[in-house]
């Protein structure tokens, strides 16, 4: 059987990759992909711990809830990115310097 | 048993290497398609953690929903961004990226240290559940139990998530609609 530590190590690598993307990328959609990577690392940890909870399925159900929440946040974030592109003609977060036009 | 472990590590490589490539590349289309591969590798890892239902949910919602949404947003965001992105040369050791690389590498070191020292497999509640046979075995069917738990123990979060999903969809439809000229 695969130990819990291996899953946690893979999750740690994915989380740090996502963190690097969120800090460095110049494109809002790529930052969103970085956030998705971090979320997936967290979901992987929950699923890995959920194996030891057969009766209540706590970890797996929380993972499903997190996936649904990620879908909702992605829909809203992409709508915001489209709006930002329509107003400023760029999706580089460094170039956006005001909230209203 | 060795085949089992080899396949686990193949799955881990399929997950991690495209993720690193996404972080390295600045081509948006390529990074979106590499993200596909990462998500499929993660679904395989979920199967290794005895969570078949979560793996299928991951494929249906992430690959079928979120990635198509990202592709649509990318295609709607116009040609100028694409051209400007492809002009910029890819440099991993860009001077601006070194602090970010340092921060994430140090965070990775801290996380790995904590995970290796925590001795996760011998936690008190995990050994207790192993002794009580409360661990999902390879032959168990978990979907029935997940459905029953979703309708009894986790009913309130289920309803809350459904209402939040409805609100988010209405809100995003409202945000992305064309504005009236005033």
């Amino acid at each position: 059987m695969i130990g819990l530590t291996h899953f946690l190590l893979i999750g740690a690598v994915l989380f740090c990759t996502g963190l690097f993307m969120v800090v460095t990328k110049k494109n809002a959609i790529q930052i969103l992909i970085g956030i998705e990577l971090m979320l997936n690392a967290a979901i992987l940890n929950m699923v890995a711990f959920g194996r030891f909870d057969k009766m209540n399925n706590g970890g797996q159900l929380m993972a499903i809830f997190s996936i649904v929440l990620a879908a909702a946040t992605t829909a809203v974030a992409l709508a915001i990115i489209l709006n930002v592109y329509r107003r400023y003609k760029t999706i580089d977060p460094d170039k956006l310097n005001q909230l209203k036009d | 048993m060795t085949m089992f472990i080899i396949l686990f590590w193949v799955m881990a490589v399929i997950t991690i290497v495209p993720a690193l490539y996404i972080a390295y590349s600045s081509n948006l289309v390529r990074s979106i398609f590499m993200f596909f591969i990462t998500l499929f590798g993660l679904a395989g890892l979920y199967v290794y953690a005895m969570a078949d239902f979560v793996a299928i949910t991951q494929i249906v919602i992430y690959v079928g929903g979120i990635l198509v949404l990202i592709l649509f947003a990318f295609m709607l965001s116009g040609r100028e961004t694409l051209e400007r992105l492809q002009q910029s040369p890819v440099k991993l050791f860009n001077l601006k990226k070194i602090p970010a690389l340092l921060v994430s590498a140090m965070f990775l070191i801290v996380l790995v240290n904590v995970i290796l020292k925590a001795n996760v497999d011998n936690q008190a509640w995990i050994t207790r559940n192993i002794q009580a046979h409360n661990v999902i075995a390879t032959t168990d069917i978990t979907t029935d139990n997940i459905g029953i738990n979703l309708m009894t123990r986790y009913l309130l979060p289920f309803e809350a998530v459904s209402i939040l999903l409805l609100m988010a969809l209405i809100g995003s439809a409202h945000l992305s609609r064309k504005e009236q000229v005033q």
Side-chain angles (χ1 to χ4, degrees):
Chain A
M1 205 76 264
I2 309 287
L4 211 44
T5 315
H6 304 301
F7 285 107
L8 298 191
L9 286 178
I10 294 170
V13 173
L14 276 183
F15 189 89
C16 291
T17 314
L19 184 66
F20 178 74
M21 280 185 72
V22 170
V23 176
T24 55
K25 288 296 178 191
K26 297 239 176 217
N27 186 335
I29 296 179
Q30 276 177 322
I31 290 175
L32 199 63
I33 292 178
I35 294 172
E36 299 292 324
L37 274 180
M38 292 161 88
L39 269 169
N40 270 305
I43 294 170
L44 179 65
N45 282 7
M46 277 192 261
V47 164
F49 277 108
R51 196 173 85 210
F52 298 96
D53 193 10
K54 184 181 173 186
M55 285 300 128
N56 294 335
N57 286 115
Q60 297 190 10
L61 279 171
M62 285 304 139
I64 291 172
F65 288 144
S66 320
I67 290 173
V68 173
L69 285 180
T73 45
T74 311
V76 175
L78 284 173
I80 291 173
I81 289 173
L82 277 182
N83 255 351
V84 163
Y85 178 73
R86 198 177 295 147
R87 286 219 179 141
Y88 298 95
K89 294 294 163 202
T90 177
I91 49 174
D92 186 355
D94 292 342
K95 296 214 171 70
L96 311 177
N97 48 15
Q98 56 187 5
L99 283 173
K100 65 187 283 286
D101 53 357
Chain B
M1 203 60 185
T2 53
M3 196 66 190
F4 191 74
I5 293 169
I6 289 170
L7 274 179
F8 175 80
W9 287 110
V10 167
M11 217 65 91
V13 168
I14 288 175
T15 309
I16 288 174
V17 172
L20 293 176
Y21 183 78
I22 297 167
Y24 166 74
S25 154
S26 70
N27 187 340
L28 184 55
V29 187
R30 206 167 277 169
S31 65
I32 289 174
F33 283 106
M34 283 289 157
F35 191 50
F36 263 102
I37 302 176
T38 306
L39 289 179
F40 275 113
L42 271 169
L45 286 180
Y46 295 166
V47 173
Y48 268 82
M50 309 293 154
D52 317 0
F53 188 74
V54 184
I56 297 298
T57 314
Q58 164 98 356
I59 289 176
V60 168
I61 294 185
Y62 260 108
V63 181
I66 295 181
L67 270 175
V68 174
L69 215 61
I70 291 176
L71 273 177
F72 262 110
F74 164 68
M75 286 190 284
L76 288 176
S77 68
R79 204 174 46 199
E80 302 94 49
T81 38
L82 186 66
E83 281 166 359
R84 198 170 45 77
L85 277 172
Q86 281 179 341
Q87 280 167 4
S88 63
V90 181
K91 278 184 286 184
L92 181 62
F93 295 106
N94 200 336
L95 203 62
K96 285 178 192 165
K97 284 186 181 174
I98 286 179
L101 201 62
L102 217 62
V103 165
S104 44
M106 279 160 71
F107 192 61
L108 180 65
I109 289 170
V110 169
L111 274 181
V112 168
N113 232 333
V114 167
I115 289 168
L116 290 183
K117 285 191 178 144
N119 198 5
V120 203
D121 283 307
N122 298 322
Q123 295 267 312
W125 68 275
I126 286 178
T127 46
R128 203 166 54 237
N129 279 3
I130 287 175
Q131 279 163 4
H133 296 290
N134 198 4
V135 181
I136 300 173
T138 43
T139 51
D140 285 336
I141 297 167
T142 55
T143 315
D144 305 354
N145 200 19
I146 286 177
I148 291 168
N149 272 324
L150 202 58
M151 282 296 131
T152 53
R153 180 182 288 264
Y154 297 98
L155 189 59
L156 181 64
F158 181 69
E159 295 291 337
V161 152
S162 71
I163 289 177
L164 190 134
L165 194 56
L166 183 68
M167 277 162 52
L169 289 180
I170 292 174
S172 61
H174 175 76
L175 275 178
S176 60
R177 138 204 87 123
K178 288 254 189 264
E179 279 177 41
Q180 304 286 327
V181 183
Q182 296 184 352

